[in-house]
Amino acid sequence: MRTAVAVRDITRLVEKQLDHLFLYDKQKEGILLASAVSKALKKTAVNFSECRNKYYRKDGEVYFNPFHSGQYTVFLYYLSRVVREYEAFSLADRIYYLNKALNAVDLYYEIELPDLFFLDHPVGTLLGRADYGDYFVFSQHITVGNNHDIYPVFDERVSLLAGAVVIGNSRIGRNTIVSAESFIKDEEIPPNSVVFGQSPHLVIKTMPDSYFDDYFHAKFFLDS
């Protein structure tokens, strides 16, 4: 993966941001952070590998620019997860908080997103502890959460448009687009669906596979 700046400068950027906003001890945490940055970049490269968006690729190569907010959101999410794997929980908390402060996205490090997801202007989004399938796409002001401690399940190729809410004992089938401002609670959505409205009065429109092939392949992913 090509990077807009050197890896050491990405590490310095994170260190400066942590030091400016929170407590950060470079002497005690610097070696761990540098190692975590390298591992997080590898995970970021996998995430970007099938992304169709022009900003995620340069001269045919996967490309990471830490000054692109969406890309940096993904990187900080992975960085917090890698640091958590090292059991440096305080540092993981600060990186999670940094992501929230800079990018206005709530992606806690215990949330397990799939290897392949795409976020599209995700300001104000909160993703809870759901089960997420590959080729998951989300936009701004999304909420995914629990109802009575039960979280949703998303099969592959699900897109949540602006303001969508999915909570509780919901299963969202493969090839589903949840339209803007829709509210889904404790519902099972069949595959190949475009969903409108509010539970329990949802409108579900069935579409052919080709419709979703065009949507996910043309807009988001090279191979989905």
Side-chain angles (χ1 to χ4, degrees):
M1 180 174 70
R2 291 177 61 179
T3 56
V5 299
V7 173
R8 65 179 179 275
D9 291 328
I10 295 171
T11 303
R12 287 178 57 219
L13 175 65
V14 176
E15 287 181 328
K16 286 180 177 293
Q17 290 168 339
L18 288 171
D19 192 42
H20 180 71
L21 292 176
F22 312 109
L23 297 174
Y24 174 73
D25 189 330
K26 183 175 181 178
Q27 187 173 1
K28 291 182 178 180
E29 299 174 315
I31 294 175
L32 184 151
L33 184 67
S35 174
V37 165
S38 295
K39 290 187 177 183
L41 285 172
K42 290 178 182 178
K43 291 178 180 291
T44 302
V46 172
N47 179 266
F48 290 3
S49 63
E50 293 188 26
C51 182
R52 179 170 288 282
N53 187 287
K54 64 181 180 180
Y55 296 110
Y56 290 67
R57 203 165 285 274
K58 179 168 281 194
D59 299 326
E61 291 184 71
V62 176
Y63 181 71
F64 171 62
N65 179 3
F67 309 118
H68 180 290
S69 176
Q71 294 182 22
Y72 202 51
T73 298
V74 174
F75 165 72
L76 287 178
Y77 162 72
Y78 283 124
L79 183 60
S80 66
R81 284 180 59 79
V82 171
V83 169
R84 167 213 180 225
E85 290 171 5
Y86 292 160
E87 298 187 353
F89 296 110
S90 174
L91 183 57
D93 283 336
R94 281 170 275 155
I95 295 168
Y96 155 68
Y97 195 178
L98 177 65
N99 204 2
K100 204 171 172 182
L102 292 178
N103 301 305
V105 181
D106 195 321
L107 294 178
Y108 190 46
Y109 52 76
E110 291 187 0
I111 305 304
E112 189 169 353
L113 290 173
D115 288 337
L116 301 172
F117 67 89
F118 181 75
L119 44 82
D120 190 19
H121 305 294
V123 173
T125 285
L126 186 156
L127 297 185
R129 299 168 189 262
D131 185 350
Y132 299 93
D134 273 325
Y135 306 108
F136 179 67
V137 179
F138 61 95
S139 189
Q140 65 266 35
H141 300 294
I142 301 300
T143 300
V144 174
N146 77 89
N147 183 33
H148 300 297
D149 293 323
I150 300 175
Y151 286 86
V153 174
F154 297 90
D155 291 339
E156 288 189 354
R157 301 213 302 187
V158 172
S159 177
L160 305 182
L161 301 185
V165 176
V166 182
I167 62 173
N169 189 21
S170 297
R171 180 158 198 139
I172 312 301
R174 186 178 190 275
N175 286 343
T176 293
I177 300 171
V178 180
S179 64
E181 303 298 332
S182 294
F183 176 83
I184 299 175
K185 175 185 174 185
D186 299 336
E187 302 261 14
E188 182 161 346
I189 307 300
N192 291 29
S193 295
V194 180
V195 183
F196 305 86
Q198 313 283 313
S199 291
H201 305 294
L202 294 172
V203 176
I204 301 174
K205 186 175 182 179
T206 302
M207 303 295 285
D209 280 342
S210 58
Y211 178 87
F212 298 96
D213 290 342
D214 291 343
Y215 177 84
F216 285 96
H217 183 67
K219 287 190 173 185
F220 305 112
F221 301 105
L222 295 173
D223 183 10
S224 61

